[in-house]
Amino acid sequence: SIRELDKELIININNVNNNNVGESYDKFDALIATSTGFVKGMDSTYTFQGYKVYQLKDDKVSATDLDDPTKALLLTEEGGLMDLKDDVKRLVNYTRDPILNIYYPTVNLELPNNGITHSLRILKDKFTGSPLVNHKTYYYAAVAFASNEFKKYDPGNPTVDGQKTTYLQGAK
């Protein structure tokens, strides 16, 4: 929800009717396995880790556009990247290049480990750098993300099993 003030917006993140009520998202992934199958005690779930809050260019920006800086900008200075206070400091996803047959990083997210805050104070238009203008329409999106790193992947030794996808972003 967003509260409008004089040249200021307060964004409140709340999970009421979704799959992350109480920040309890936990999704089983059947693809998480070693080359010999599942290992007893191996973590095969992605668990809620944090939120990313974006300012959007307009109301036509979709979840697939969030990596396009002409359409969506992460509110980093305003606290728009927040995650649980824990030992997860960095999330990296590796994707296989079918021609070279090597894995390369496609997501590399450094986490602040500042904890989850549910309110953000917005004073500037991220696209222009100017102060907010009263009665102008601005667009924002808050996206939850989850993590799982059951076993660290070593790109220098790709024959060793490891979690190549540690970051899972929400779809809405």
Side-chain angles (χ1 to χ4, degrees), residues 64-75:
T64 59
D65 297 324
L66 296 178
D67 290 329
D68 182 344
T70 66
K71 296 180 180 180
L73 295 172
L74 186 61
L75 301 176

Side-chain angles (χ1 to χ4, degrees), residues 137-148:
T137 302
Y138 296 93
Y139 299 91
Y140 296 89
V143 181
F145 62 93
S147 68
N148 179 319

